[in-house]
Amino acid sequence: KQMITREEELPGRISAFRQAEIRPQVEGIITKRLFEEGAFVEQGRALYQIDDTPYKAAVASARAELVSAEANLKAATSKETRFKELIKTSAVSGQAYDDAIAELERSKAAIAVANANIDVARVNLDFTRVYAPISGRIGRSSVTEGALVTANQSDSLTTITQLDPIFVDINQPGTSSMQLRSEMSGRADIPVEIILDSSTGQTHPHMGALKFSDVVVDETTGSIGLRALVPKPDQLLLPGLFVRTKINLGQAEVLLVPQRATIRNPDGSLTVWVVDGNNQVNPRPISVSSGYEDQWIVSSGIEDGETIIIQGYQKVRPGATVSSSPWTPAS
């Protein structure tokens, strides 16, 4: 048995922490593009200007309707006041007085509608300037000045991507997920190392932390999704990039067997040759949970302190008596 640092290496893909597709909320002609493509933009910065002439006219029209409604309210109020006095002497009919009251209420409602129309017109006027909903790196603009845009269009004007921090989406095979989940249970902020180039061993300078594990197995791939959060002030990682990840599961005491001492059977199981106290050898099946460097982590089949054959098992048969010597790993 040995104390080792358990690590799990899995494939992953970079995804954006936040990404916003910019779309117009009103119809009109683009008159200005107010940003430089590829630049960093702050949340709330203006990105596009849509021709606001018809929307300014709509605001003016809504205000004029309000003035008209207020004038009608004054007339309806005066009429209701006169009829209220006249009804006392029966100078007007009850129906005429009821009509005056109804006209007054309609005038009040018309003012409420006019105020609402002003609010809508102002909102649409504000929408003629398109703002950045998040801070991040802005992409290529899909439109230029003079282009007609609509509120319901499917194509975005541009995209803003937040690149610091960034997510790494990791795929864990469903068959081995139970073992990994048990080792992660009860631990917070499990370290994750990002391997940029497996051939050279180049890694990202900043360690990430495992933040999320999916609760269902993907039916198409048979894998479970994990997600790590990586700080990335140098913006080296870009969304869509494929990487390898190394999840640090902490220290554990395990039983290790050199992989070269095992024999792979046709059914995929592993066998080792065990030397007993009488120097007799016999094959014994073992179960392993995973690999560690050039050794297997054994879960069952042999115990700590038993002797196994690492070299020369091709020359033995079950029950044979052998003369053994300690094995020295090659440098």
Side-chain angles (χ1 to χ4, degrees):
K1 287 186 176 180
Q2 296 182 38
M3 290 295 298
I4 65 170
T5 300
R6 284 282 292 115
E7 293 178 335
E8 186 82 12
E9 188 170 325
L10 297 169
R13 191 175 188 180
I14 307 301
S15 62
F17 183 75
R18 287 179 182 168
Q19 192 170 62
E21 293 184 345
I22 309 303
R23 288 184 172 85
Q25 294 177 275
V26 293
E27 179 177 330
I29 301 294
I30 296 291
T31 57
K32 290 181 182 179
R33 174 167 64 85
L34 305 172
F35 66 92
E36 183 179 352
E37 295 174 320
F40 181 85
V41 296
E42 293 286 350
Q43 180 180 2
R45 175 178 172 177
L47 304 177
Y48 293 95
Q49 177 64 57
I50 299 174
D51 183 15
D52 59 1
T53 303
Y55 298 98
K56 288 181 177 178
V59 171
S61 175
R63 286 173 176 167
E65 290 177 0
L66 176 60
V67 173
S68 176
E70 289 174 342
N72 291 336
L73 176 63
K74 290 180 180 179
T77 302
S78 299
K79 184 176 180 181
E80 189 273 338
T81 301
R82 290 195 303 270
F83 277 33
K84 185 176 181 180
E85 296 298 325
L86 294 174
I87 194 66
K88 296 177 180 178
T89 59
S90 299
V92 295
S93 65
Q95 181 63 49
Y97 181 60
D98 290 342
D99 292 342
I101 294 176
E103 185 178 350
L104 177 62
E105 296 300 324
R106 284 195 297 270
S107 298
K108 292 178 180 179
I111 288 181
V113 171
N115 281 318
N117 289 337
I118 290 177
D119 292 339
V120 172
R122 284 175 175 170
V123 169
N124 288 333
L125 179 60
D126 291 339
F127 282 158
T128 59
R129 180 156 285 203
V130 182
Y131 297 94
I134 62 173
S135 299
R137 188 75 61 179
I138 195 165
R140 181 178 57 186
S141 175
S142 63
V143 296
T144 61
E145 291 82 352
L148 174 64
V149 295
T150 61
N152 298 319
Q153 68 179 49
S154 58
D155 296 333
S156 61
L157 304 180
T158 186
T159 301
I160 300 175
T161 304
Q162 182 176 339
L163 298 176
D164 181 19
I166 206 161
F167 284 130
V168 181
D169 291 326
I170 305 167
N171 293 320
Q172 163 71 13
T175 54
S176 57
S177 63
M178 293 301 296
Q179 175 70 21
L180 180 61
R181 290 174 72 90
S182 65
E183 296 188 44
M184 294 190 304
S185 178
R187 298 185 58 200
D189 294 336
I190 297 175
V192 178
E193 185 178 23
I194 310 302
I195 304 173
L196 303 178
D197 191 339
S198 299
S199 60
T200 62
Q202 180 187 2
T203 61
H204 190 262
H206 302 281
M207 294 288 289
L210 199 62
K211 294 293 185 182
F212 168 79
S213 175
D214 212 340
V215 295
V216 295
V217 178
D218 191 313
E219 296 180 358
T220 58
T221 63
S223 62
I224 292 179
L226 307 174
R227 172 166 279 185
L229 185 66
V230 183
K232 197 186 64 59
D234 52 2
Q235 297 186 359
L236 180 63
L237 304 177
L238 295 177
L241 180 67
F242 287 97
V243 295
R244 300 286 299 180
T245 62
K246 188 178 291 185
I247 303 174
N248 188 326
L249 299 173
Q251 295 285 322
E253 186 180 41
V254 297
L255 187 63
L256 297 178
V257 166
Q259 293 182 2
R260 60 178 298 171
T262 60
I263 301 171
R264 179 74 67 177
N265 300 315
D267 61 357
S269 62
L270 295 175
T271 300
V272 295
W273 288 88
V274 180
V275 182
D276 61 19
N278 298 321
N279 288 330
Q280 291 184 335
V281 296
N282 285 287
R284 189 185 299 176
I286 63 171
S287 298
V288 300
S289 59
S290 60
Y292 175 72
E293 296 179 351
D294 60 348
Q295 303 184 78
W296 291 118
I297 298 176
V298 180
S299 55
S300 64
I302 57 174
E303 301 294 334
D304 183 31
E306 290 193 276
T307 301
I308 63 172
I309 299 177
I310 297 177
Q311 274 185 322
Y313 54 75
Q314 298 88 348
K315 304 175 183 179
V316 300
R317 66 182 186 279
T321 301
V322 298
S323 174
S324 61
S325 60
W327 173 66
T328 303
S331 58

